[in-house]
Amino acid sequence: MAQSAPTPGTSHSHTADPGGVNPWAAGGAMFAGVLLMVDGVLGAIKGIAGIASNTVYARINDYVFKFNVTAWGWIHLALGILLVVIGWGILRGFGWARGIGVALAALNMIANFMWLPYQPIWAVVSLAIDTFVIWALCTDRSKSLI
């Protein structure tokens, strides 16, 4: 069988469907919604641990962003609950949830950056998750994910 060449002036790309939706970004946005929910649950668990016991995390001396561990616990618990709710909204396809998801992921990045001395490995994991979430939500153009 002979193959025909694309008409001059048109591009032939397998990365997007005719509607202009990048399937990688759409799948990434669904994954971002799930990751926000998981990151929210982990943040809530981290927060509950900090609230329940002031000695569960390492003590930090002479740190600019040093808060009481209980205060960090409340911060992570509140952010965690918000992330779960917004992650669910993203999976439901609510347009407003994407913008708020980007903002909350950025806020969570800042909180985890400030949290680095307390739990460096988990803070870096959360930073990576939030980076992916922001990318996926900013590049997706589909309407509904589930």
Side-chain angles (χ1 to χ4, degrees), residues 36-131:
L36 272 180
M37 292 177 69
V38 169
D39 201 20
V41 169
L42 293 175
I45 291 169
K46 184 172 20 177
I48 290 169
I51 293 167
S53 175
N54 209 20
T55 60
V56 83
Y57 296 116
R59 297 270 178 195
I60 306 298
N61 294 326
D62 299 328
Y63 179 54
V64 175
F65 303 113
K66 181 180 171 187
F67 290 124
N68 181 337
V69 174
T70 304
W72 274 116
W74 283 108
I75 291 168
H76 286 293
L77 179 62
L79 274 172
I81 292 169
L82 290 172
L83 289 172
V84 169
V85 170
I86 295 304
W88 179 251
I90 289 167
L91 290 178
R92 297 288 299 159
F94 298 135
W96 55 265
R98 292 181 189 188
I100 295 173
V102 170
L104 280 179
L107 189 60
N108 199 41
M109 282 182 84
I110 294 167
N112 279 294
F113 180 76
M114 293 168 48
W115 179 251
L116 268 168
Y118 295 92
Q119 288 290 312
I121 293 172
W122 286 110
V124 169
V125 168
S126 285
L127 287 168
I129 289 171
D130 292 330
T131 301

